[in-house]
Short mmCIF file of all heavy atoms in Angstrom, two decimals:
data_model
loop_
_atom_site.label_atom_id
_atom_site.label_comp_id
_atom_site.label_asym_id
_atom_site.label_seq_id
_atom_site.Cartn_x
_atom_site.Cartn_y
_atom_site.Cartn_z
N ASP A 1 -18.72 -35.70 -164.78
CA ASP A 1 -20.01 -36.13 -165.27
C ASP A 1 -20.99 -36.27 -164.10
O ASP A 1 -20.63 -36.78 -163.05
CB ASP A 1 -19.91 -37.48 -165.98
CG ASP A 1 -19.13 -37.36 -167.28
OD1 ASP A 1 -19.14 -36.28 -167.89
OD2 ASP A 1 -18.52 -38.36 -167.69
N VAL A 2 -22.21 -35.86 -164.32
CA VAL A 2 -23.27 -35.99 -163.33
C VAL A 2 -24.29 -36.99 -163.85
O VAL A 2 -24.77 -36.86 -164.96
CB VAL A 2 -23.95 -34.64 -163.06
CG1 VAL A 2 -25.10 -34.81 -162.09
CG2 VAL A 2 -22.94 -33.64 -162.53
N TYR A 3 -24.57 -38.00 -163.02
CA TYR A 3 -25.52 -39.03 -163.41
C TYR A 3 -26.66 -39.07 -162.42
O TYR A 3 -26.47 -38.87 -161.23
CB TYR A 3 -24.86 -40.42 -163.44
CG TYR A 3 -23.76 -40.54 -164.45
CD1 TYR A 3 -22.43 -40.60 -164.08
CD2 TYR A 3 -24.07 -40.60 -165.81
CE1 TYR A 3 -21.42 -40.72 -165.02
CE2 TYR A 3 -23.06 -40.72 -166.75
CZ TYR A 3 -21.75 -40.77 -166.36
OH TYR A 3 -20.77 -40.89 -167.29
N LYS A 4 -27.85 -39.35 -162.93
CA LYS A 4 -28.97 -39.66 -162.07
C LYS A 4 -28.92 -41.16 -161.83
O LYS A 4 -28.38 -41.91 -162.62
CB LYS A 4 -30.28 -39.27 -162.75
CG LYS A 4 -30.41 -37.78 -162.90
CD LYS A 4 -31.73 -37.41 -163.52
CE LYS A 4 -31.81 -35.91 -163.53
NZ LYS A 4 -32.22 -35.35 -164.75
N ARG A 5 -29.51 -41.59 -160.71
CA ARG A 5 -29.47 -43.01 -160.37
C ARG A 5 -30.90 -43.53 -160.25
O ARG A 5 -31.75 -42.88 -159.65
CB ARG A 5 -28.75 -43.23 -159.05
CG ARG A 5 -28.73 -44.67 -158.60
CD ARG A 5 -27.99 -44.82 -157.31
NE ARG A 5 -28.70 -44.20 -156.22
CZ ARG A 5 -29.31 -44.86 -155.24
NH1 ARG A 5 -29.26 -46.16 -155.19
NH2 ARG A 5 -29.94 -44.22 -154.30
N GLN A 6 -31.13 -44.68 -160.82
CA GLN A 6 -32.42 -45.36 -160.71
C GLN A 6 -32.16 -46.74 -160.13
O GLN A 6 -31.40 -47.52 -160.68
CB GLN A 6 -33.10 -45.48 -162.07
CG GLN A 6 -34.47 -46.11 -162.02
CD GLN A 6 -35.47 -45.25 -161.27
OE1 GLN A 6 -35.58 -44.07 -161.51
NE2 GLN A 6 -36.18 -45.85 -160.35
N ALA A 7 -32.80 -47.03 -158.98
CA ALA A 7 -32.61 -48.32 -158.32
C ALA A 7 -33.90 -49.13 -158.38
O ALA A 7 -34.98 -48.58 -158.24
CB ALA A 7 -32.20 -48.10 -156.86
N PHE A 8 -33.73 -50.42 -158.58
CA PHE A 8 -34.86 -51.34 -158.62
C PHE A 8 -34.61 -52.51 -157.69
O PHE A 8 -33.54 -53.12 -157.74
CB PHE A 8 -35.07 -51.89 -160.04
CG PHE A 8 -35.45 -50.84 -161.04
CD1 PHE A 8 -34.48 -50.21 -161.79
CD2 PHE A 8 -36.78 -50.48 -161.21
CE1 PHE A 8 -34.81 -49.24 -162.72
CE2 PHE A 8 -37.12 -49.52 -162.13
CZ PHE A 8 -36.14 -48.88 -162.89
N GLN A 9 -35.57 -52.82 -156.84
CA GLN A 9 -35.49 -54.03 -156.03
C GLN A 9 -36.01 -55.18 -156.87
O GLN A 9 -37.04 -55.05 -157.52
CB GLN A 9 -36.34 -53.90 -154.78
CG GLN A 9 -35.77 -52.95 -153.76
CD GLN A 9 -36.57 -52.95 -152.48
OE1 GLN A 9 -37.73 -53.35 -152.45
NE2 GLN A 9 -35.96 -52.48 -151.42
N VAL A 10 -35.28 -56.28 -156.86
CA VAL A 10 -35.66 -57.46 -157.64
C VAL A 10 -35.75 -58.66 -156.72
O VAL A 10 -34.92 -58.84 -155.83
CB VAL A 10 -34.67 -57.71 -158.81
CG1 VAL A 10 -34.74 -56.59 -159.83
CG2 VAL A 10 -33.25 -57.87 -158.32
N GLU A 11 -36.75 -59.46 -156.89
CA GLU A 11 -36.94 -60.65 -156.04
C GLU A 11 -35.90 -61.73 -156.32
O GLU A 11 -35.43 -62.40 -155.42
CB GLU A 11 -38.35 -61.22 -156.22
CG GLU A 11 -39.43 -60.35 -155.63
CD GLU A 11 -39.33 -60.22 -154.11
OE1 GLU A 11 -38.89 -61.17 -153.44
OE2 GLU A 11 -39.68 -59.15 -153.60
N ASP A 12 -35.53 -61.90 -157.59
CA ASP A 12 -34.54 -62.91 -157.98
C ASP A 12 -33.32 -62.18 -158.54
O ASP A 12 -33.24 -61.91 -159.75
CB ASP A 12 -35.13 -63.88 -158.99
CG ASP A 12 -34.23 -65.06 -159.29
OD1 ASP A 12 -32.99 -64.96 -159.10
OD2 ASP A 12 -34.75 -66.10 -159.72
N PHE A 13 -32.39 -61.86 -157.67
CA PHE A 13 -31.23 -61.05 -158.05
C PHE A 13 -30.41 -61.71 -159.16
O PHE A 13 -30.07 -61.05 -160.15
CB PHE A 13 -30.35 -60.81 -156.82
CG PHE A 13 -29.18 -59.91 -157.08
CD1 PHE A 13 -29.33 -58.53 -157.01
CD2 PHE A 13 -27.94 -60.44 -157.40
CE1 PHE A 13 -28.26 -57.69 -157.26
CE2 PHE A 13 -26.87 -59.61 -157.65
CZ PHE A 13 -27.02 -58.24 -157.58
N GLU A 14 -30.10 -62.97 -159.02
CA GLU A 14 -29.26 -63.67 -160.01
C GLU A 14 -29.93 -63.70 -161.38
O GLU A 14 -29.27 -63.50 -162.40
CB GLU A 14 -28.93 -65.08 -159.54
CG GLU A 14 -28.03 -65.12 -158.32
CD GLU A 14 -26.68 -64.42 -158.52
OE1 GLU A 14 -26.11 -64.51 -159.62
OE2 GLU A 14 -26.21 -63.80 -157.55
N LYS A 15 -31.23 -63.94 -161.42
CA LYS A 15 -31.95 -63.96 -162.69
C LYS A 15 -31.95 -62.57 -163.33
O LYS A 15 -31.72 -62.43 -164.53
CB LYS A 15 -33.39 -64.44 -162.47
CG LYS A 15 -34.19 -64.52 -163.75
CD LYS A 15 -35.58 -65.05 -163.50
CE LYS A 15 -36.37 -65.07 -164.79
NZ LYS A 15 -37.75 -65.51 -164.58
N ALA A 16 -32.21 -61.53 -162.54
CA ALA A 16 -32.21 -60.16 -163.07
C ALA A 16 -30.83 -59.79 -163.59
O ALA A 16 -30.70 -59.20 -164.67
CB ALA A 16 -32.66 -59.18 -161.99
N LEU A 17 -29.79 -60.15 -162.86
CA LEU A 17 -28.42 -59.87 -163.28
C LEU A 17 -28.12 -60.55 -164.61
O LEU A 17 -27.58 -59.93 -165.53
CB LEU A 17 -27.46 -60.37 -162.20
CG LEU A 17 -25.99 -60.05 -162.37
CD1 LEU A 17 -25.73 -58.56 -162.34
CD2 LEU A 17 -25.19 -60.75 -161.29
N GLU A 18 -28.51 -61.80 -164.73
CA GLU A 18 -28.28 -62.56 -165.97
C GLU A 18 -29.04 -61.93 -167.15
O GLU A 18 -28.49 -61.76 -168.23
CB GLU A 18 -28.74 -64.00 -165.76
CG GLU A 18 -28.50 -64.91 -166.94
CD GLU A 18 -28.97 -66.33 -166.66
OE1 GLU A 18 -28.58 -66.89 -165.62
OE2 GLU A 18 -29.74 -66.85 -167.49
N GLU A 19 -30.29 -61.57 -166.92
CA GLU A 19 -31.11 -60.99 -167.99
C GLU A 19 -30.57 -59.63 -168.45
O GLU A 19 -30.52 -59.35 -169.65
CB GLU A 19 -32.56 -60.84 -167.53
CG GLU A 19 -33.28 -62.16 -167.41
CD GLU A 19 -34.69 -62.03 -166.85
OE1 GLU A 19 -35.12 -60.91 -166.50
OE2 GLU A 19 -35.37 -63.07 -166.76
N LEU A 20 -30.17 -58.79 -167.51
CA LEU A 20 -29.70 -57.46 -167.86
C LEU A 20 -28.35 -57.50 -168.58
O LEU A 20 -28.15 -56.77 -169.55
CB LEU A 20 -29.62 -56.57 -166.61
CG LEU A 20 -30.98 -56.24 -166.01
CD1 LEU A 20 -30.81 -55.58 -164.65
CD2 LEU A 20 -31.79 -55.35 -166.95
N THR A 21 -27.45 -58.37 -168.14
CA THR A 21 -26.17 -58.47 -168.83
C THR A 21 -26.35 -59.11 -170.21
O THR A 21 -25.67 -58.72 -171.16
CB THR A 21 -25.12 -59.25 -168.00
OG1 THR A 21 -25.65 -60.51 -167.63
CG2 THR A 21 -24.72 -58.46 -166.76
N ALA A 22 -27.31 -60.02 -170.34
CA ALA A 22 -27.60 -60.62 -171.65
C ALA A 22 -28.15 -59.58 -172.62
O ALA A 22 -27.95 -59.69 -173.83
CB ALA A 22 -28.59 -61.78 -171.50
N LYS A 23 -28.80 -58.55 -172.08
CA LYS A 23 -29.35 -57.47 -172.93
C LYS A 23 -28.32 -56.39 -173.23
O LYS A 23 -28.63 -55.41 -173.89
CB LYS A 23 -30.57 -56.86 -172.27
CG LYS A 23 -31.74 -57.81 -172.25
CD LYS A 23 -32.95 -57.19 -171.58
CE LYS A 23 -34.01 -58.25 -171.40
NZ LYS A 23 -35.16 -58.06 -172.19
N GLY A 24 -27.09 -56.58 -172.72
CA GLY A 24 -26.01 -55.67 -173.07
C GLY A 24 -25.60 -54.66 -172.01
O GLY A 24 -24.68 -53.89 -172.24
N LEU A 25 -26.24 -54.64 -170.86
CA LEU A 25 -25.82 -53.73 -169.81
C LEU A 25 -24.49 -54.21 -169.24
O LEU A 25 -24.27 -55.41 -169.07
CB LEU A 25 -26.87 -53.65 -168.70
CG LEU A 25 -27.98 -52.61 -168.95
CD1 LEU A 25 -28.97 -53.12 -169.96
CD2 LEU A 25 -28.65 -52.25 -167.66
N LYS A 26 -23.60 -53.28 -168.97
CA LYS A 26 -22.25 -53.59 -168.50
C LYS A 26 -22.13 -53.26 -167.02
O LYS A 26 -22.43 -52.14 -166.59
CB LYS A 26 -21.21 -52.79 -169.27
CG LYS A 26 -21.30 -52.96 -170.78
CD LYS A 26 -20.80 -54.30 -171.20
CE LYS A 26 -20.79 -54.38 -172.73
NZ LYS A 26 -21.01 -55.69 -173.23
N LEU A 27 -21.69 -54.25 -166.23
CA LEU A 27 -21.50 -54.04 -164.80
C LEU A 27 -20.32 -53.12 -164.53
O LEU A 27 -19.29 -53.20 -165.21
CB LEU A 27 -21.21 -55.38 -164.11
CG LEU A 27 -22.41 -56.27 -163.85
CD1 LEU A 27 -21.94 -57.66 -163.47
CD2 LEU A 27 -23.28 -55.68 -162.76
N ILE A 28 -20.47 -52.26 -163.54
CA ILE A 28 -19.36 -51.44 -163.08
C ILE A 28 -18.39 -52.34 -162.31
O ILE A 28 -18.82 -53.23 -161.57
CB ILE A 28 -19.89 -50.28 -162.20
CG1 ILE A 28 -20.68 -49.30 -163.09
CG2 ILE A 28 -18.76 -49.58 -161.46
CD1 ILE A 28 -21.28 -48.13 -162.35
N LYS A 29 -17.12 -52.10 -162.48
CA LYS A 29 -16.08 -52.91 -161.84
C LYS A 29 -16.33 -53.01 -160.33
O LYS A 29 -16.63 -52.02 -159.68
CB LYS A 29 -14.71 -52.30 -162.10
CG LYS A 29 -13.58 -53.13 -161.57
CD LYS A 29 -12.25 -52.50 -161.90
CE LYS A 29 -11.13 -53.35 -161.32
NZ LYS A 29 -9.82 -52.79 -161.64
N GLY A 30 -16.24 -54.21 -159.81
CA GLY A 30 -16.44 -54.45 -158.39
C GLY A 30 -17.85 -54.89 -158.03
O GLY A 30 -18.14 -55.17 -156.87
N PHE A 31 -18.72 -54.97 -159.01
CA PHE A 31 -20.10 -55.41 -158.78
C PHE A 31 -20.39 -56.65 -159.58
O PHE A 31 -19.79 -56.86 -160.62
CB PHE A 31 -21.07 -54.29 -159.19
CG PHE A 31 -21.01 -53.11 -158.26
CD1 PHE A 31 -20.20 -52.04 -158.54
CD2 PHE A 31 -21.74 -53.11 -157.08
CE1 PHE A 31 -20.12 -50.96 -157.68
CE2 PHE A 31 -21.67 -52.04 -156.22
CZ PHE A 31 -20.85 -50.95 -156.52
N PRO A 32 -21.32 -57.51 -159.12
CA PRO A 32 -22.15 -57.36 -157.93
C PRO A 32 -21.34 -57.59 -156.66
O PRO A 32 -20.27 -58.22 -156.69
CB PRO A 32 -23.22 -58.43 -158.09
CG PRO A 32 -22.61 -59.47 -158.94
CD PRO A 32 -21.63 -58.75 -159.84
N ARG A 33 -21.88 -57.07 -155.57
CA ARG A 33 -21.26 -57.28 -154.27
C ARG A 33 -22.32 -57.15 -153.18
O ARG A 33 -23.44 -56.73 -153.43
CB ARG A 33 -20.10 -56.32 -154.03
CG ARG A 33 -20.53 -54.88 -153.87
CD ARG A 33 -19.31 -54.03 -153.62
NE ARG A 33 -19.67 -52.64 -153.50
CZ ARG A 33 -18.86 -51.64 -153.75
NH1 ARG A 33 -17.64 -51.88 -154.17
NH2 ARG A 33 -19.27 -50.41 -153.58
N LYS A 34 -21.91 -57.51 -151.97
CA LYS A 34 -22.80 -57.43 -150.82
C LYS A 34 -22.98 -55.97 -150.44
O LYS A 34 -22.00 -55.24 -150.26
CB LYS A 34 -22.19 -58.23 -149.66
CG LYS A 34 -23.04 -58.28 -148.44
CD LYS A 34 -24.05 -59.38 -148.56
CE LYS A 34 -24.69 -59.60 -147.20
NZ LYS A 34 -25.99 -60.15 -147.31
N GLY A 35 -24.24 -55.54 -150.33
CA GLY A 35 -24.55 -54.20 -149.88
C GLY A 35 -25.07 -54.24 -148.45
O GLY A 35 -24.98 -55.26 -147.77
N ALA A 36 -25.64 -53.15 -148.00
CA ALA A 36 -26.13 -53.05 -146.63
C ALA A 36 -27.25 -54.04 -146.34
O ALA A 36 -27.40 -54.51 -145.22
CB ALA A 36 -26.59 -51.64 -146.34
N HIS A 37 -28.05 -54.37 -147.36
CA HIS A 37 -29.23 -55.21 -147.15
C HIS A 37 -29.26 -56.42 -148.07
O HIS A 37 -30.30 -57.03 -148.25
CB HIS A 37 -30.50 -54.40 -147.33
CG HIS A 37 -30.57 -53.21 -146.45
ND1 HIS A 37 -30.68 -53.30 -145.09
CD2 HIS A 37 -30.52 -51.89 -146.73
CE1 HIS A 37 -30.71 -52.10 -144.56
NE2 HIS A 37 -30.60 -51.21 -145.54
N GLY A 38 -28.15 -56.76 -148.69
CA GLY A 38 -28.11 -57.90 -149.60
C GLY A 38 -27.29 -57.56 -150.83
O GLY A 38 -26.55 -56.57 -150.86
N GLN A 39 -27.42 -58.36 -151.86
CA GLN A 39 -26.66 -58.16 -153.09
C GLN A 39 -27.08 -56.88 -153.79
O GLN A 39 -28.25 -56.50 -153.80
CB GLN A 39 -26.86 -59.34 -154.03
CG GLN A 39 -26.15 -60.61 -153.60
CD GLN A 39 -24.66 -60.48 -153.78
OE1 GLN A 39 -23.94 -60.23 -152.83
NE2 GLN A 39 -24.18 -60.68 -154.99
N VAL A 40 -26.10 -56.22 -154.42
CA VAL A 40 -26.34 -55.00 -155.17
C VAL A 40 -25.43 -55.00 -156.40
O VAL A 40 -24.33 -55.55 -156.36
CB VAL A 40 -26.11 -53.73 -154.30
CG1 VAL A 40 -24.68 -53.65 -153.84
CG2 VAL A 40 -26.54 -52.48 -155.01
N ALA A 41 -25.93 -54.43 -157.49
CA ALA A 41 -25.13 -54.31 -158.70
C ALA A 41 -25.44 -52.97 -159.36
O ALA A 41 -26.59 -52.55 -159.42
CB ALA A 41 -25.44 -55.45 -159.67
N PHE A 42 -24.39 -52.32 -159.83
CA PHE A 42 -24.52 -51.07 -160.58
C PHE A 42 -24.05 -51.32 -162.00
O PHE A 42 -23.09 -52.05 -162.23
CB PHE A 42 -23.67 -49.96 -159.96
CG PHE A 42 -24.25 -49.39 -158.71
CD1 PHE A 42 -23.97 -49.94 -157.48
CD2 PHE A 42 -25.09 -48.28 -158.76
CE1 PHE A 42 -24.48 -49.41 -156.32
CE2 PHE A 42 -25.62 -47.74 -157.60
CZ PHE A 42 -25.31 -48.30 -156.37
N PHE A 43 -24.72 -50.68 -162.94
CA PHE A 43 -24.39 -50.80 -164.35
C PHE A 43 -23.98 -49.44 -164.89
O PHE A 43 -24.51 -48.41 -164.48
CB PHE A 43 -25.60 -51.31 -165.14
CG PHE A 43 -26.04 -52.68 -164.74
CD1 PHE A 43 -26.94 -52.86 -163.70
CD2 PHE A 43 -25.56 -53.80 -165.39
CE1 PHE A 43 -27.35 -54.13 -163.32
CE2 PHE A 43 -25.96 -55.07 -165.01
CZ PHE A 43 -26.86 -55.23 -163.98
N TYR A 44 -23.03 -49.47 -165.84
CA TYR A 44 -22.61 -48.23 -166.48
C TYR A 44 -23.81 -47.56 -167.15
O TYR A 44 -24.71 -48.25 -167.66
CB TYR A 44 -21.54 -48.51 -167.54
CG TYR A 44 -20.19 -48.80 -166.95
CD1 TYR A 44 -19.68 -50.08 -166.97
CD2 TYR A 44 -19.43 -47.78 -166.38
CE1 TYR A 44 -18.43 -50.36 -166.42
CE2 TYR A 44 -18.18 -48.05 -165.84
CZ TYR A 44 -17.69 -49.34 -165.86
OH TYR A 44 -16.47 -49.61 -165.32
N PRO A 45 -23.83 -46.24 -167.16
CA PRO A 45 -24.91 -45.53 -167.83
C PRO A 45 -24.95 -45.89 -169.31
O PRO A 45 -23.90 -46.08 -169.93
CB PRO A 45 -24.55 -44.05 -167.65
CG PRO A 45 -23.66 -44.03 -166.45
CD PRO A 45 -22.90 -45.32 -166.49
N THR A 46 -26.15 -45.98 -169.85
CA THR A 46 -26.28 -46.25 -171.28
C THR A 46 -26.05 -44.95 -172.03
O THR A 46 -26.37 -43.86 -171.55
CB THR A 46 -27.65 -46.84 -171.63
OG1 THR A 46 -28.66 -45.98 -171.12
CG2 THR A 46 -27.83 -48.22 -171.04
N LYS A 47 -25.48 -45.05 -173.19
CA LYS A 47 -25.11 -43.89 -173.99
C LYS A 47 -26.32 -42.97 -174.22
O LYS A 47 -27.38 -43.43 -174.63
CB LYS A 47 -24.54 -44.35 -175.33
CG LYS A 47 -23.88 -43.27 -176.12
CD LYS A 47 -23.16 -43.83 -177.32
CE LYS A 47 -22.42 -42.72 -178.02
NZ LYS A 47 -21.56 -43.23 -179.06
N GLY A 48 -26.13 -41.71 -173.88
CA GLY A 48 -27.17 -40.72 -174.12
C GLY A 48 -28.18 -40.54 -172.99
O GLY A 48 -28.95 -39.58 -173.01
N LEU A 49 -28.19 -41.43 -172.01
CA LEU A 49 -29.18 -41.31 -170.93
C LEU A 49 -28.63 -40.67 -169.66
O LEU A 49 -29.38 -40.11 -168.88
CB LEU A 49 -29.75 -42.69 -170.57
CG LEU A 49 -30.78 -43.27 -171.52
CD1 LEU A 49 -31.27 -44.60 -170.99
CD2 LEU A 49 -31.96 -42.33 -171.69
N ASP A 50 -27.33 -40.78 -169.40
CA ASP A 50 -26.74 -40.28 -168.16
C ASP A 50 -27.49 -40.80 -166.94
O ASP A 50 -27.79 -40.06 -166.00
CB ASP A 50 -26.70 -38.74 -168.14
CG ASP A 50 -25.79 -38.19 -169.23
OD1 ASP A 50 -24.86 -38.91 -169.64
OD2 ASP A 50 -26.01 -37.05 -169.66
N LEU A 51 -27.84 -42.08 -166.97
CA LEU A 51 -28.60 -42.71 -165.90
C LEU A 51 -27.83 -43.91 -165.37
O LEU A 51 -27.55 -44.85 -166.11
CB LEU A 51 -29.97 -43.16 -166.42
CG LEU A 51 -30.89 -43.85 -165.43
CD1 LEU A 51 -31.33 -42.88 -164.34
CD2 LEU A 51 -32.12 -44.40 -166.14
N LEU A 52 -27.47 -43.86 -164.09
CA LEU A 52 -26.81 -44.96 -163.43
C LEU A 52 -27.89 -45.93 -162.96
O LEU A 52 -28.83 -45.52 -162.28
CB LEU A 52 -26.00 -44.44 -162.24
CG LEU A 52 -25.11 -45.43 -161.52
CD1 LEU A 52 -23.99 -45.92 -162.43
CD2 LEU A 52 -24.51 -44.78 -160.28
N PHE A 53 -27.78 -47.16 -163.34
CA PHE A 53 -28.81 -48.17 -163.11
C PHE A 53 -28.34 -49.12 -162.02
O PHE A 53 -27.21 -49.59 -162.06
CB PHE A 53 -29.04 -48.91 -164.44
CG PHE A 53 -30.20 -49.82 -164.46
CD1 PHE A 53 -31.49 -49.34 -164.54
CD2 PHE A 53 -30.01 -51.19 -164.40
CE1 PHE A 53 -32.57 -50.21 -164.57
CE2 PHE A 53 -31.07 -52.06 -164.42
CZ PHE A 53 -32.36 -51.57 -164.51
N GLU A 54 -29.20 -49.40 -161.05
CA GLU A 54 -28.86 -50.28 -159.93
C GLU A 54 -29.96 -51.31 -159.72
O GLU A 54 -31.14 -51.01 -159.85
CB GLU A 54 -28.73 -49.44 -158.66
CG GLU A 54 -28.58 -50.24 -157.39
CD GLU A 54 -28.72 -49.39 -156.13
OE1 GLU A 54 -28.93 -48.17 -156.22
OE2 GLU A 54 -28.61 -49.97 -155.04
N ILE A 55 -29.56 -52.54 -159.39
CA ILE A 55 -30.52 -53.54 -158.92
C ILE A 55 -30.06 -54.00 -157.54
O ILE A 55 -28.87 -54.01 -157.23
CB ILE A 55 -30.67 -54.75 -159.87
CG1 ILE A 55 -29.35 -55.50 -160.07
CG2 ILE A 55 -31.30 -54.34 -161.19
CD1 ILE A 55 -29.50 -56.83 -160.81
N CYS A 56 -31.02 -54.34 -156.71
CA CYS A 56 -30.70 -54.79 -155.36
C CYS A 56 -31.77 -55.75 -154.88
O CYS A 56 -32.89 -55.77 -155.39
CB CYS A 56 -30.58 -53.61 -154.40
SG CYS A 56 -32.06 -52.60 -154.30
N GLU A 57 -31.37 -56.57 -153.91
CA GLU A 57 -32.32 -57.46 -153.28
C GLU A 57 -33.20 -56.64 -152.34
O GLU A 57 -32.74 -55.67 -151.74
CB GLU A 57 -31.59 -58.53 -152.48
CG GLU A 57 -30.81 -59.49 -153.34
CD GLU A 57 -30.03 -60.50 -152.52
OE1 GLU A 57 -29.38 -60.12 -151.54
OE2 GLU A 57 -30.09 -61.68 -152.90
N PRO A 58 -34.48 -57.01 -152.20
CA PRO A 58 -35.34 -56.28 -151.26
C PRO A 58 -34.87 -56.47 -149.83
O PRO A 58 -34.31 -57.50 -149.48
CB PRO A 58 -36.72 -56.87 -151.49
CG PRO A 58 -36.52 -58.14 -152.20
CD PRO A 58 -35.18 -58.09 -152.87
N HIS A 59 -35.10 -55.46 -149.03
CA HIS A 59 -34.73 -55.50 -147.62
C HIS A 59 -35.86 -56.16 -146.84
O HIS A 59 -37.00 -55.69 -146.88
CB HIS A 59 -34.50 -54.08 -147.10
CG HIS A 59 -34.21 -54.03 -145.63
ND1 HIS A 59 -33.08 -54.60 -145.08
CD2 HIS A 59 -34.90 -53.50 -144.62
CE1 HIS A 59 -33.09 -54.39 -143.79
NE2 HIS A 59 -34.18 -53.73 -143.47
N HIS A 60 -35.57 -57.26 -146.18
CA HIS A 60 -36.56 -57.96 -145.34
C HIS A 60 -36.08 -57.89 -143.90
O HIS A 60 -34.94 -58.26 -143.60
CB HIS A 60 -36.71 -59.42 -145.78
CG HIS A 60 -37.23 -59.59 -147.16
ND1 HIS A 60 -38.53 -59.24 -147.51
CD2 HIS A 60 -36.66 -60.05 -148.28
CE1 HIS A 60 -38.71 -59.50 -148.79
NE2 HIS A 60 -37.59 -59.99 -149.28
N LEU A 61 -36.92 -57.41 -143.04
CA LEU A 61 -36.59 -57.36 -141.63
C LEU A 61 -36.60 -58.76 -141.04
O LEU A 61 -37.40 -59.60 -141.46
CB LEU A 61 -37.58 -56.48 -140.87
CG LEU A 61 -37.58 -55.01 -141.28
CD1 LEU A 61 -38.71 -54.28 -140.57
CD2 LEU A 61 -36.25 -54.35 -140.95
N PRO A 62 -35.72 -59.04 -140.09
CA PRO A 62 -35.71 -60.38 -139.46
C PRO A 62 -37.09 -60.72 -138.89
O PRO A 62 -37.73 -59.87 -138.24
CB PRO A 62 -34.68 -60.23 -138.33
CG PRO A 62 -33.81 -59.08 -138.75
CD PRO A 62 -34.71 -58.17 -139.54
N GLY A 63 -37.57 -61.90 -139.19
CA GLY A 63 -38.87 -62.34 -138.70
C GLY A 63 -40.05 -61.91 -139.55
O GLY A 63 -41.18 -62.28 -139.29
N SER A 64 -39.79 -61.10 -140.61
CA SER A 64 -40.89 -60.66 -141.46
C SER A 64 -41.17 -61.72 -142.53
O SER A 64 -40.33 -62.54 -142.86
CB SER A 64 -40.57 -59.32 -142.13
OG SER A 64 -39.48 -59.46 -143.03
N GLU A 65 -42.38 -61.68 -143.05
CA GLU A 65 -42.75 -62.61 -144.11
C GLU A 65 -42.01 -62.23 -145.39
O GLU A 65 -41.86 -61.07 -145.71
CB GLU A 65 -44.26 -62.56 -144.36
CG GLU A 65 -45.07 -63.10 -143.21
CD GLU A 65 -44.83 -64.57 -142.97
OE1 GLU A 65 -44.75 -65.33 -143.94
OE2 GLU A 65 -44.72 -64.95 -141.80
N VAL A 66 -41.54 -63.21 -146.13
CA VAL A 66 -40.85 -62.96 -147.41
C VAL A 66 -41.80 -63.20 -148.53
O VAL A 66 -42.61 -64.04 -148.53
CB VAL A 66 -39.60 -63.86 -147.53
CG1 VAL A 66 -38.94 -63.64 -148.86
CG2 VAL A 66 -38.65 -63.59 -146.41
#
């Protein structure tokens, strides 16, 4: 299977995770977990879309304004 991936940076990772799972999105096994720049979560593609959905925390450089 070939999937396209759509990633979204979210300011409140835990809130976004809670909202998306409440709406029926299913987390891929092993997620959420720490990624290169913070928390990341992948969700199984929704039926008929072949779209892998990802949420992640925004990348902030040390010393930058949040």
Side-chain angles (χ1 to χ4, degrees):
D1 292 332
V2 176
Y3 297 107
K4 293 182 175 133
R5 177 179 68 109
Q6 183 66 49
F8 296 93
Q9 288 185 340
V10 293
E11 289 296 327
D12 188 337
F13 184 85
E14 294 301 323
K15 182 178 178 183
L17 186 64
E18 183 180 308
E19 289 176 358
L20 292 170
T21 54
K23 291 180 188 248
L25 274 76
K26 305 287 185 210
L27 282 167
I28 291 178
K29 185 178 179 179
F31 290 94
R33 68 179 179 205
K34 183 84 168 154
H37 304 293
Q39 287 289 100
V40 63
F42 285 88
F43 297 87
Y44 285 107
T46 54
K47 192 172 184 172
L49 283 182
D50 296 334
L51 180 66
L52 187 65
F53 189 75
E54 171 191 0
I55 60 170
C56 58
E57 293 177 314
H59 176 64
H60 297 292
L61 296 173
S64 65
E65 293 296 318
V66 177

